[in-house]
Amino acid sequence: MTGKIYDAVVVGGGPAGATAAEDLARLGRSVLLLDKAGRIKPCGGAIPPRLIREFRIPDYLLVARARSARMISPSERRVDMPIDGGFVGMVDREVFDEYLRDRAALAGAERRTGSFTAVTRDPGGVATVHYAAAEGAGMARTRAVIGADGALSAVARQEVPGSDRMRCVFAYHEIVRSPREGAADFDGSRCDVFYQGRLSPDFYAWIFPHGDTTSIGTGSARKGFALRRSVGDLRAATGLDAVETIRREGAPIPMKPLKRWDNGRDVVLAGDAAGVVAPASGEGIYYAMAGGRFAAEAVEAFLSTGDARALAGARKRFMKAHGRVFWILGMMQHFWYSSDKRRERFVGICRDPDVQKLTWDAYMNKELVRAKPAAHVRIFFKDLAHLLGVVRP
């Protein structure tokens, strides 16, 4: 077989895939970015300041700036968590993802529209990525493949052992026209998070502002839970059932990183395909882009050395940077989201100024805060008191 051989084919053009494609293209590698047409992932759209800095996100992509979060308990108690002197950026994934894909193309990546079908290899070991497109079947030969094609990644299922055991929350949201400021208790600079078993038995529901539009959604790993009905109930309870619905979206969201991200030969995973969505919060954009960057660096090392063991570096580096946070968030979700009694106590803990300060510091900077040991000690004893029921929620 003759024809062009790419250094890398990136399957999936979300934040992980687009970041990986851009990084490799900027290193001078020949890259093909293969993405489905018209796919928008259901997402609250929150991006922290660290992402904005590290990945050079222009201000015009921020459709809103959230300056506080409000936690709502099963008993309807509301706890406000203001961000002292900062904000969380909110983006529209339809616009944000396309910007990232365009930026990858400007860096030198070639874009094609198509749906991945398979990877084959010729006798010399060169991989061929096969895909379906509007004009018919297509293929691209390549030295390496980055699978960034979502939580139910076809690349992962074919190439990476154990990927079929990924744990997921199924998320659904409705993008609606934002009401007037103050109407229906709506605040365009505040994210509302509902910890109520009726809206999600094991996760949470949300109302996140996006400027002219708003995301109203929920998620659950429980089979048979009626996500659409839950969102309908939330809209009715908050007075948002009368506003215009623009679009509806649903998708699985992984809740735990896979134990392996590469096939030991020429494939490595990134983003949702690798399972890098934070437990408890469901946050994925920053971790997807960080994972895409680590995947690009691993592929660059593989292409430079010919040593396929370099591909394992993507997961090693990611888990070294973020593994501890994922473990803590996973434990938090397992315990605090398991019953309305515990949810009530969890929201109660969020009233504490120490908890609020350290929570925002960790979220905004994407690392555990170690600079205030006295505050950590106070939080530990307060948390223990809540766990034992010594204090009222």
Side-chain angles (χ1 to χ4, degrees):
M1 182 181 293
T2 60
K4 180 175 181 176
I5 300 178
Y6 292 92
D7 289 319
V9 170
V10 180
V11 180
T19 299
E22 180 189 358
D23 283 3
L24 282 170
R26 290 192 183 281
L27 290 171
R29 297 296 182 178
S30 58
V31 182
L32 173 64
L33 178 59
L34 179 69
D35 190 49
K36 293 181 180 179
R39 179 73 176 93
I40 309 171
K41 180 185 174 183
C43 176
I47 61 172
R50 180 171 174 178
L51 184 155
I52 296 170
R53 293 192 307 268
E54 284 189 8
F55 296 97
R56 312 180 322 280
I57 303 304
D59 283 349
Y60 75 84
L61 287 177
L62 305 183
V63 293
R65 288 169 169 79
R67 300 187 184 276
S68 70
R70 184 171 66 175
M71 327 294 272
I72 299 97
S73 76
S75 69
E76 295 293 335
R77 176 174 49 178
R78 286 151 165 73
V79 173
D80 288 314
M81 297 180 63
I83 304 172
D84 185 18
F87 67 89
V88 173
M90 308 300 293
V91 297
D92 183 332
R93 286 292 300 271
E94 182 177 16
V95 177
F96 181 74
D97 289 15
E98 181 61 17
Y99 167 82
L100 296 177
R101 290 189 287 266
D102 278 345
R103 193 163 72 173
L106 288 172
E110 179 184 335
R111 289 184 60 178
R112 288 188 202 170
T113 299
S115 299
F116 169 87
T117 55
V119 174
T120 60
R121 292 172 181 85
D122 63 26
V126 176
T128 298
V129 172
H130 301 263
Y131 60 91
E135 62 274 15
M139 61 180 64
R141 303 179 73 205
T142 183
R143 297 170 63 193
V145 178
I146 295 178
D149 51 333
L152 301 180
S153 166
V155 175
R157 288 199 304 271
Q158 178 182 322
E159 293 291 329
V160 180
S163 60
D164 57 335
R165 295 190 290 273
M166 178 179 285
R167 293 175 49 226
C168 291
V169 161
F170 290 86
Y172 170 77
H173 78 162
E174 296 177 359
I175 297 293
V176 305
R177 192 73 60 193
S178 293
R180 298 188 317 274
E181 194 74 18
D185 194 27
F186 177 81
D187 183 340
S189 65
R190 183 190 68 217
C191 294
D192 287 351
V193 187
F194 295 79
Y195 295 100
Q196 300 178 347
R198 68 182 184 88
L199 296 175
S200 172
D202 51 356
F203 198 54
Y204 64 81
W206 68 84
I207 298 175
F208 287 175
H210 290 172
D212 292 337
T213 63
T214 293
S215 165
I216 307 173
T218 189
S220 176
R222 186 171 296 180
K223 283 188 177 182
F225 182 73
L227 298 173
R228 284 182 178 242
R229 185 171 65 192
S230 174
V231 170
D233 291 345
L234 178 56
R235 291 182 65 174
T238 55
L240 295 173
D241 51 342
V243 297
E244 177 191 358
T245 301
I246 298 171
R247 65 179 190 263
R248 298 177 172 88
E249 298 152 357
I253 297 176
M255 284 290 106
K256 188 175 182 179
L258 291 175
K259 292 184 177 180
R260 183 171 180 176
W261 294 4
D262 69 285
N263 67 350
R265 183 175 184 175
D266 53 10
V267 174
V268 66
L269 306 177
D272 282 12
V276 294
V277 174
S281 69
E283 183 199 358
I285 301 177
Y286 172 77
Y287 295 114
M289 295 178 75
R293 177 150 290 172
F294 287 140
E297 291 170 355
V299 166
E300 172 62 23
F302 163 60
L303 294 173
S304 298
T305 65
D307 187 349
R309 291 175 297 181
L311 296 172
R315 188 183 190 280
K316 289 178 182 176
R317 294 190 62 192
F318 184 94
M319 297 307 290
K320 182 178 180 180
H322 305 294
R324 189 176 174 210
V325 170
F326 272 55
W327 182 82
I328 290 172
L329 291 175
M331 294 293 290
M332 190 178 92
Q333 179 176 344
H334 176 75
F335 183 83
W336 289 116
Y337 295 8
S338 61
S339 70
D340 272 355
K341 182 178 180 180
R342 290 182 176 178
R343 292 184 189 96
E344 195 72 39
R345 292 191 176 278
F346 172 69
V347 173
I349 290 173
C350 293
R351 292 180 302 184
D352 187 278
D354 289 330
V355 171
Q356 293 190 12
K357 181 69 167 66
L358 291 178
T359 296
W360 284 126
D361 284 349
Y363 174 83
M364 307 281 267
N365 298 299
K366 287 290 161 275
E367 57 189 18
L368 295 176
V369 180
R370 300 181 177 89
K372 299 182 179 180
H376 281 286
V377 170
R378 290 196 300 271
I379 289 170
F380 171 78
F381 283 109
K382 291 171 185 175
D383 195 44
L384 183 63
H386 277 277
L387 286 171
L388 297 176
V390 175
V391 299
R392 296 180 60 189

